[in-house]
Amino acid sequence: MSFLRSLAVAFSLFSRIPVPTVAWEARNMRYVAACMPIVGVPLGALVGAWCVALAHAHAAPALIALGPTLIPVVFSGGIHLDGFADVVDAQSSCADQKRKREILKDPHIGAFAAIGVAAYLVALFAISSQIAFDARMGALLGLVYVVSRAATGFAVIAFPRSPEQGMLALEQDFASAASKPALAALFAAAALAAVALSPIAGALAIAASLALLIRTRRLAQKGFGGMSGDIAGFHLCRCELACITCIAFCQLAGVA
């Protein structure tokens, strides 16, 4: 029951799928981070199905690319993109750690955040439009949303956190000891499935996600004094873009 309550909390936080209301208390937060990859399963299925169905109907690449670009935003309510925008704003300020953390908490959007989000969405749209989708590519794309959330969930509970208290602090404080191995296992399972679908593209996407995990840890420590929920969203967005880029360029090179 504890796992099911944590799953409901995870879906209520990271998706717009209706779930029963569950109180945010210790016993219900034990597996929230570990449930993040599970939230990625229906999202990946939706995006993959959109791309494969429209490709089968011979739709224009631009219409197909709307799936990877907009479905994740609608599905999550923009929570991860909001973190991306906040971190772009804070990093662009070139301020000290304390000031950057203040910018993360500021509800207003700055010019650099608007530019960053626009550039991100345009890049994601353009790169996604280059992928020729069939059932195999649709499944590979769907796994991206599981991999990105498994990596992000691990960062949430394993990386040193920022001095500022927030949702990430609750997830760390209440996380079960089983969460880290569970996330590692889910990441490994998704990685193996990706490599099985496309050895080179899958391997490059997984390598990119691991490299970004290392970079995010360095960014969090050096720039903000530790991990935060906004940095987690920033990492997730970059991870998805990097993985989809690997798939697109491997296909263009004829090795996907």
Side-chain angles (χ1 to χ4, degrees):
M1 289 300 294
S2 178
F3 173 79
L4 291 178
R5 288 192 293 265
S6 293
L7 186 61
V9 173
F11 269 94
S12 68
L13 278 173
F14 305 122
S15 82
R16 286 295 175 263
I17 295 178
V19 293
T21 302
V22 177
W24 292 5
E25 54 189 41
R27 63 175 182 161
N28 299 334
M29 301 288 290
R30 298 183 65 200
Y31 304 104
V32 170
C35 288
M36 285 187 70
I38 301 175
V39 177
V41 173
L43 172 58
L46 281 171
V47 177
W50 170 282
C51 294
V52 174
L54 288 183
H56 183 72
H58 305 291
L63 183 58
I64 296 172
L66 284 178
T69 306
L70 295 183
I71 290 177
V73 180
V74 175
F75 180 92
S76 67
I79 185 172
H80 307 302
L81 199 59
D82 175 71
F84 177 88
D86 287 342
V87 173
V88 170
D89 244 353
Q91 281 291 92
S92 300
S93 72
C94 299
D96 58 25
Q97 288 185 359
K98 182 178 179 181
R99 177 55 185 152
K100 285 181 179 178
R101 292 195 296 268
E102 291 173 351
I103 293 172
L104 291 185
K105 295 169 65 177
D106 189 339
H108 300 94
I109 186 170
F112 289 109
I115 294 168
V117 168
Y120 172 81
L121 292 175
V122 168
L124 187 57
F125 178 83
I127 292 167
S128 299
S129 70
Q130 294 302 305
I131 301 175
F133 284 100
D134 54 17
R136 183 172 64 91
M137 285 294 104
L140 182 59
L141 176 65
L143 285 170
V144 166
Y145 303 97
V146 180
V147 167
S148 63
R149 281 156 180 77
T152 302
F154 188 85
V156 163
I157 60 174
F159 291 179
R161 72 186 185 216
S162 165
E164 302 292 339
Q165 298 298 303
M167 179 54 63
L168 183 139
L170 290 177
E171 291 182 45
Q172 280 195 354
D173 289 342
F174 299 146
S176 166
S179 293
K180 288 182 185 179
L183 282 164
L186 288 168
F187 181 90
L192 288 173
V195 172
L197 286 167
S198 179
I200 296 179
L204 282 177
I206 298 305
S209 68
L210 291 173
L212 279 174
L213 202 57
I214 296 170
R215 185 167 178 81
T216 295
R217 181 187 175 98
R218 187 179 301 120
L219 167 73
Q221 284 293 99
K222 183 178 179 181
F224 299 88
M227 194 71 182
S228 71
D230 284 321
I231 298 173
F234 179 76
H235 171 79
L236 188 147
C237 290
R238 291 207 305 171
C239 186
E240 290 177 357
L241 179 60
C243 290
I244 293 172
T245 299
C246 289
I247 295 170
F249 277 90
C250 282
Q251 194 175 70
L252 284 172
V255 294

